[in-house]
Amino acid sequence: MVALLCVGCGRPPELAFVPRAEVATLPENLQAIIRDQLAQHCGTPTHPKLLGAEDSPRDRLMHGAAVYQQRCVHCHGTTGDGAGPAAEVMYPRPRDYRRGIFKFTSTPYGAKPRRSDLARTVRHGAKGTSMPSFALLSDDDVEAVIDYVLALTHRGELELLLTLEAQNEDEIAAERVPDIIDEVLTPWRAAADQYVEPVSKMPRYTSESIEEGKKAFLSETAGCFKCHGPDGRAETTDNLKGFTDVWGFQTRAADLTSGMFHGGNRPDDIYRRIFSGINGTPMPAFDAKLADQPDLFWHLVHYVQFISGERRSAVIKQEQALRK
């Protein structure tokens, strides 16, 4: 009741996209062109459009916007910039969709995610982060909210490229806009055919395979120990200082002994993190570096699996000892 008296019974503020900080540095006429182009091709929060598919049925996109407002906006923000009301206190920060970079994909390093990658993150969440599982959402909800996330992502990428065009050319010629839109969409279309399959069949999980993985982990060739530490706990000096990701936030290599892998703990998930790296972070792709030793990827997977529950196991053993 007190809250109602304070805020009154007026209509809630209208949802609005927040422009990038760089846009505000441009002359007003260029800012106006960017606003107009974004509204024309990407719509508004209440009347969104999917870039390049403006004539497609809007019902599902509107449904996705509603799911997003209910489930996602508090962390990812209305604009999809990862600056929702709760974002400030989160580590790692919620995803900023505007650069079109997604960490956990089944595609090569630097490529866009496949639609199934986004669906998997929505359904399973990212373990060890604030991103929960939305497994209880219906398939319709998941597909719709993915459409809306893509709409925000494409909008953010278009805004960035229009801003760069304005900065470099001191204008945004109307005839350039279709090319810029193609520049945004082409990598997304290509991602559908860029699925990374393991280059060799997974060998059996044996002590020999684990030992081979440990040797590789500690070798200069793979160099995993440099960030994750010789024991996998990621307590190296450089890692404790932290690295900077492409979004400008502090990040660290994972403690592999925690058993919490943001991108999933299935053997295939771990394989792709080693093979393709993690977009936007210091974790590189090892596909080229270890190309002449295809089984080594799996040996590393087995070693990471072997040490992945060590910290939790140690706590359980300690608790059991205290009960005796």
Side-chain angles (χ1 to χ4, degrees):
M1 179 62 76
V2 172
L4 283 175
L5 291 173
C6 291
V7 302
C9 299
R11 298 172 61 184
E14 187 174 350
L15 295 174
F17 290 131
V18 178
R20 302 179 66 88
E22 299 92 324
V23 174
T25 66
L26 297 171
E28 175 54 36
N29 65 315
L30 293 177
Q31 292 185 40
I33 292 173
I34 292 175
R35 284 196 299 270
D36 290 346
Q37 290 294 335
L38 291 176
Q40 178 183 339
H41 296 288
C42 304
T44 66
T46 51
H47 295 85
K49 297 179 180 178
L50 190 56
L51 186 66
E54 291 90 336
D55 296 331
S56 62
R58 294 184 59 245
D59 288 354
R60 193 165 84 168
L61 193 55
M62 291 298 294
H63 178 52
V67 175
Y68 184 89
Q69 292 300 330
Q70 183 180 13
R71 307 284 187 179
C72 316
V73 72
H74 301 96
C75 299
H76 293 284
T78 300
T79 311
D81 54 3
E88 191 64 34
V89 296
M90 291 181 171
Y91 177 84
R93 290 279 296 221
R95 176 69 46 251
D96 177 351
Y97 299 131
R98 296 175 304 171
R99 295 186 64 164
I101 300 173
F102 290 78
K103 291 181 179 178
F104 307 114
T105 74
S106 58
T107 52
Y109 186 87
K112 300 297 185 186
R114 290 153 55 92
R115 190 178 179 90
S116 57
D117 297 328
L118 303 181
R120 187 168 188 277
T121 299
V122 172
R123 289 195 172 97
H124 297 279
K127 196 170 185 179
T129 77
S130 301
M131 174 67 186
S133 163
F134 288 100
L136 295 179
L137 288 181
S138 69
D139 289 346
D140 284 347
D141 285 350
V142 172
E143 293 302 320
V145 81
I146 289 172
D147 277 353
Y148 191 67
V149 166
L150 289 172
L152 292 176
T153 297
H154 297 341
R155 181 187 183 280
E157 291 181 90
L158 179 61
E159 182 184 37
L160 176 60
L161 292 185
L162 290 172
T163 303
L164 293 174
E165 181 79 3
Q167 290 174 335
N168 295 332
E169 304 297 331
D170 292 327
E171 66 172 353
I172 302 174
E175 60 270 24
R176 277 281 297 141
V177 174
D179 293 338
I180 293 173
I181 291 175
D182 278 345
E183 191 174 341
V184 172
L185 296 178
T186 296
W188 286 93
R189 292 167 179 153
D193 298 320
Q194 292 180 312
Y195 185 69
V196 171
E197 290 277 10
V199 294
S200 66
K201 185 178 178 182
M202 183 172 69
R204 291 179 58 204
Y205 182 83
T206 62
S207 56
E208 290 78 13
S209 178
I210 293 168
E211 188 59 31
E212 288 299 317
K214 181 178 181 179
K215 288 179 185 174
F217 190 90
L218 297 173
S219 72
E220 288 291 335
T221 303
C224 311
F225 70 94
K226 294 175 183 176
C227 295
H228 293 287
D231 57 1
R233 297 196 63 170
E235 293 182 335
T236 67
T237 301
D238 287 343
N239 195 47
L240 292 176
K241 288 180 182 174
F243 303 102
T244 303
D245 63 23
V246 297
W247 298 276
F249 297 115
Q250 283 280 294
T251 187
R252 289 178 178 171
D255 174 357
L256 301 175
T257 68
S258 71
M260 293 188 289
F261 300 111
H262 300 346
N265 59 3
R266 300 177 307 176
D268 283 6
D269 297 327
I270 300 170
Y271 182 99
R272 289 198 175 87
R273 300 292 76 77
I274 298 169
F275 189 89
S276 301
I278 301 177
N279 291 325
T281 78
M283 175 66 186
F286 286 88
D287 54 342
K289 200 168 188 177
L290 304 180
D292 60 342
Q293 304 173 77
D295 282 349
L296 205 52
F297 294 106
W298 289 118
H299 295 323
L300 282 166
V301 169
H302 287 163
Y303 179 62
V304 170
Q305 286 182 302
F306 177 72
I307 64 174
S308 66
E310 281 190 343
R311 195 171 73 183
R312 187 179 178 201
S313 299
V315 172
I316 293 173
K317 288 178 182 175
Q318 190 176 32
E319 290 176 347
Q320 290 173 337
L322 289 172
R323 292 194 195 104
K324 291 180 180 177

